[in-house]
Amino acid sequence: MKQLLAALAVCAALIPASGSPAEPVKTLRYAFRIAETGFDPPRLSDIYSRTITAHIFESLYTYDPLARPTRIVPQIADGEPEISADFKTFKFKVRPGIYFADDPAFKGKKREVTAQDFVYSIKRYADPANNAQGWISYEDAGLVGLDELRSQVIKAKKPFPYDTEVEGVRALDRYTLQLKTRDARPRLVESILAGNDLYGAVAREVVEFYGDKIMEHPVGTGPFVLKEWRRSSQMVLERNPAYRERHYESVPAADDAEAQAILAKFKGRRIPMVDRVVVDIIVENQPRWLAFLNNEHDFMERVPEDFLTQAAPGGKIAPNLAKRGMQALFTLAPDMTLTCFNMDDPVVGGMTPDKVALRRAISLAYDVKKEIRLARRGFAVPGQAPIVPGTTGYDPAFKSEMSDYDPARAKALLDMYGYVDKDGDGWRDLPDGQPLVLTRNTEPNSLSRSVDELWEKALRGVGIRLQVRIQQWPENLKAAQSGNYQMWPVGSTAAQPDGQGALQRYYGPASGTQNLPRFKDARFDAIYDRMQALPDGPEREALFLEAKRIAVTYMAYKVHAHRVLIDIQQPWMSGYRRPLFWQDFWQFVDIDPAKQPVR
């Protein structure tokens, strides 16, 4: 009876006062496995918060949703950029008539996005007060005068002077943005101008209006607006009522049958096609998977490792799910799983031969293939270097020590450098006789528990004690950013087609942000800097190879695997294709309310 009454209430809600049926509200509902941290782009590093901001803000350029290989296309920009022959001066036209979502910060007036909004948004990354996690990308870009202004602010300990003109970041007129770089930057567009999650336009009035609460009040030009937020529990977004008229467009490869089928169905449709998006936070795998099976969610983003064999035995969707009309999508993701070592830690850190030997022994003691087989149910490939599939610099034929499992060699390294049992208790000690105990920060979920057990057994096998410190992901991130950890497992997803973005994790100036281990090596930094100015080609590929070898040698990270991700959509959802280097997709999918069960 309760279910019947609930269904009648839903039907009544769809009938307006005039008595004629209204269009049903199309709601997309799914879950994140890890909680968000907030919604102010410069302050973000986690993929979950960035997935939300990717649908609220808009960058000058974006990615074709279906094209593989990827293709960058104008979004707020009015056409292609004007680029000087030396790749040092870039001019972008902002399309007139694009407006921010209505917000009290605008005092009842419509607010058009202008070139000055992008100047302000870029400067926010340079403002030390924002502790911008993505500042390194702008520092890498070498925008003339910007890092000098930042350094002056840090030295003077004064507020950032947003009204000070910077030669490398200027609005030439209302709709023309000009960027100038010190050195050639052939890939500037993809590095700092394509990606709604971090590089979208932010209005100065909004930041000043909300002040310290700006993380709670994202206001952009994108297709959705944040309506409700219960921290670490649920986020509700609705279609931006002021969003411009925009239609589904894509140019996928002619031989890409999957993409061509999606295009045939949606080409020319006005986007977004759904009215509302509800994102729940469900940390544990089992309840998240059951919520999907019970039709509470329309979409399972990344089937949990515990249920991969149930969802896709033999690499195909399970017959019982196929019978229900579900569709599975398999993607070798441009990502990697890693163990991060704190290079400032007195035990596992350091660049001296004994410290390097310890990290390499820890790596050799661990069986990545066993992790893939047991914890990841076979849906991953071993990682050989910190470059991910689908990006420049990735070579599937490259082989290194990174994936080797050789406990005998690990023991020999430990013995050689004095990590032996000095007190007869059965456990190895440090060369100075102090106990050798490693601490691995981890999260309270079933995958982490499985991998923790594998690590504990592996290290016990070579005589090293391991203890785990269980915290929620945001707490572990804070600990890593402050340097208060020894070992921490992290995942990294490429944000652009260029593989150099992954090498930021080893770049000295990025220490404490992208470079969580705080790895510092002058040779590596010189290679990184040189790569920035080079066009793609053999010379740059050779530098990729050299950078990978340095990364393997010093083992600031142990690269574990590149994951094969499985996403499943319910029969009433259509249009999904996993984004590769971007986070937004809600506007490109549709929900059929006639097939969707009443909730």
Side-chain angles (χ1 to χ4, degrees):
M1 179 61 72
K2 288 183 179 179
Q3 291 181 334
L4 176 61
L5 292 174
L8 292 173
V10 170
C11 293
L14 298 178
I15 301 177
S18 62
S20 58
E23 287 292 323
V25 174
K26 294 182 179 181
T27 299
L28 167 66
R29 187 164 191 158
Y30 73 114
F32 286 171
R33 62 174 58 198
I34 290 177
E36 76 297 336
T37 56
F39 311 113
D40 185 27
R43 302 170 191 261
L44 304 181
S45 62
D46 66 284
I47 204 74
Y48 304 95
S49 301
R50 287 166 49 197
T51 298
I52 302 298
T53 58
H55 296 90
I56 295 172
F57 299 96
E58 289 181 310
S59 49
L60 283 166
Y61 294 86
T62 188
Y63 290 88
D64 183 314
L66 299 178
R68 308 289 188 273
T70 55
R71 188 171 70 96
I72 294 177
V73 296
Q75 183 170 226
I76 284 182
D78 192 3
E80 299 297 327
E82 179 184 324
I83 305 174
S84 64
D86 62 1
F87 292 106
K88 292 183 180 181
T89 302
F90 304 76
K91 291 182 181 178
F92 309 90
K93 290 290 185 180
V94 177
R95 190 185 309 166
I98 295 178
Y99 295 88
F100 286 98
D102 295 335
D103 190 84
F106 301 131
K107 305 185 186 307
K109 299 179 181 179
K110 290 187 70 176
R111 172 63 160 80
E112 186 182 32
V113 66
T114 68
Q116 189 60 45
D117 292 314
F118 285 97
V119 172
Y120 174 72
S121 299
I122 291 172
K123 286 181 175 178
R124 290 194 70 222
Y125 277 87
D127 186 346
N130 291 327
N131 190 28
Q133 299 303 298
W135 161 245
I136 184 61
S137 295
Y138 289 99
E139 188 175 34
D140 280 353
L143 298 172
V144 177
L146 188 60
D147 53 355
E148 290 85 355
L149 181 59
R150 174 183 165 90
S151 297
Q152 292 169 15
V153 170
I154 293 173
K155 186 175 181 180
K157 298 181 180 179
K158 292 182 178 180
F160 192 89
Y162 282 95
D163 294 321
T164 297
E165 186 164 294
V166 175
E167 182 183 352
V169 189
R170 296 175 59 205
L172 301 184
D173 56 43
R174 183 172 179 83
Y175 300 114
T176 306
L177 171 69
Q178 177 180 275
L179 301 181
K180 286 187 174 183
T181 61
R182 289 188 300 271
D183 302 303
R185 289 293 180 264
R187 292 161 294 277
L188 187 77
V189 171
E190 71 178 70
S191 63
I192 62 170
L193 297 168
N196 297 337
D197 52 341
L198 299 178
Y199 307 125
V202 176
R204 184 171 182 171
E205 304 98 293
V206 174
V207 176
E208 293 178 349
F209 184 81
Y210 290 107
D212 292 341
K213 295 188 179 295
I214 188 61
M215 282 282 269
E216 306 170 18
H217 296 279
V219 180
T221 63
F224 294 92
V225 293
L226 181 67
K227 299 299 289 187
E228 300 175 28
W229 179 27
R230 286 186 283 149
R231 289 178 183 272
S232 302
S233 177
Q234 187 183 81
M235 291 150 284
V236 178
L237 295 94
E238 293 181 358
R239 178 202 297 265
N240 177 1
Y243 196 57
R244 64 191 179 278
E245 186 167 340
R246 184 180 168 201
H247 299 92
Y248 196 109
E249 295 178 324
S250 177
V251 184
D255 59 354
D256 189 337
E258 177 186 285
Q260 289 292 343
I262 295 173
L263 180 62
K265 182 173 183 177
F266 294 119
K267 184 177 181 179
R269 288 272 299 272
R270 186 167 182 175
I271 57 175
M273 293 179 276
V274 298
D275 305 296
R276 189 167 174 264
V277 179
V278 179
V279 181
D280 298 315
I281 306 301
I282 306 179
V283 174
E284 285 292 339
N285 288 341
Q286 185 177 42
R288 189 168 66 257
W289 174 242
L290 290 176
F292 174 71
L293 292 182
N294 292 335
N295 297 335
E296 296 171 28
H297 291 150
D298 308 301
F299 169 60
M300 169 55 69
E301 183 181 40
R302 226 180 97 195
V303 173
E305 288 77 5
D306 318 40
F307 301 99
L308 287 172
T309 51
Q310 293 183 30
K316 295 181 180 180
I317 189 167
N320 63 311
L321 303 183
K323 188 175 182 180
R324 292 172 59 177
M326 296 181 184
Q327 182 181 3
L329 301 100
F330 300 80
T331 307
L332 175 59
D335 77 357
M336 54 186 167
T337 60
L338 314 130
T339 290
C340 176
F341 295 99
N342 182 0
M343 296 294 286
D344 288 341
D345 182 77
V347 176
V348 299
M351 297 286 280
T352 56
D354 59 318
K355 300 298 186 181
V356 175
L358 175 60
R359 291 191 299 274
R360 292 179 70 170
I362 291 170
S363 174
L364 290 165
Y366 187 75
D367 190 347
V368 168
K369 292 180 181 178
K370 187 175 183 180
E371 175 190 316
I372 292 173
R373 187 174 68 253
L374 298 181
R376 302 191 183 279
R377 306 306 194 267
F379 288 94
V381 297
Q384 305 293 342
I387 305 292
V388 302
T391 64
T392 53
Y394 178 76
D395 179 2
F398 179 77
K399 176 68 176 68
S400 76
E401 179 187 291
M402 193 72 79
S403 66
D404 286 353
Y405 170 58
D406 193 339
R409 191 167 155 215
K411 292 177 182 178
L413 268 174
L414 293 168
D415 291 344
M416 183 184 301
Y417 285 93
Y419 295 96
V420 296
D421 180 8
K422 296 179 182 296
D423 57 10
D425 66 352
W427 297 101
R428 292 180 184 271
D429 299 301
L430 294 169
D432 65 2
Q434 296 296 311
L436 172 57
V437 181
L438 303 181
T439 301
R440 171 182 160 91
N441 286 14
T442 187
E443 280 86 52
N445 58 61
S446 55
L447 174 63
S448 293
R449 286 192 290 271
S450 297
V451 177
D452 292 343
E453 289 176 5
L454 292 173
W455 266 109
E456 195 279 329
K457 290 178 182 178
L459 293 182
R460 188 188 337 136
V462 296
I464 297 176
R465 280 175 289 194
L466 176 72
Q467 58 188 20
V468 297
R469 178 179 296 152
I470 301 173
Q471 302 179 122
Q472 294 293 342
W473 193 89
E475 283 71 39
N476 282 330
L477 176 62
K478 290 177 183 177
Q481 290 171 341
S482 64
N484 185 27
Y485 77 105
Q486 274 192 338
M487 299 168 60
W488 183 40
V490 294
S492 176
T493 299
Q496 59 198 49
D498 182 34
Q500 185 164 358
L503 297 181
Q504 281 185 354
R505 292 191 171 276
Y506 297 80
Y507 187 50
S511 294
T513 54
Q514 294 300 313
N515 181 355
L516 290 175
R518 292 168 168 76
F519 176 76
K520 299 178 181 69
D521 180 74
R523 290 172 304 158
F524 187 94
D525 291 349
I527 291 169
Y528 185 95
D529 291 336
R530 188 177 169 197
M531 289 175 67
Q532 290 277 51
L534 287 175
D536 292 336
E539 184 179 0
R540 195 162 184 263
E541 284 297 319
L543 292 178
F544 266 117
L545 180 59
E546 191 173 349
K548 288 188 285 190
R549 287 172 174 163
I550 291 173
V552 172
T553 297
Y554 288 103
M555 203 65 68
Y557 290 96
K558 176 176 174 60
V559 181
H560 289 231
H562 307 298
R563 294 171 289 194
V564 175
L565 303 182
I566 305 175
D567 307 304
I568 304 180
Q569 57 186 7
Q570 297 276 13
W572 51 84
M573 176 179 163
S574 57
Y576 176 77
R577 194 173 216 199
R578 170 168 279 275
L580 296 180
F581 309 114
W582 59 101
Q583 312 307 324
D584 53 305
F585 67 89
W586 302 345
Q587 66 269 43
F588 302 119
V589 301
D590 196 16
I591 294 291
D592 184 349
K595 296 180 180 178
Q596 190 177 39
V598 175
R599 292 169 179 153

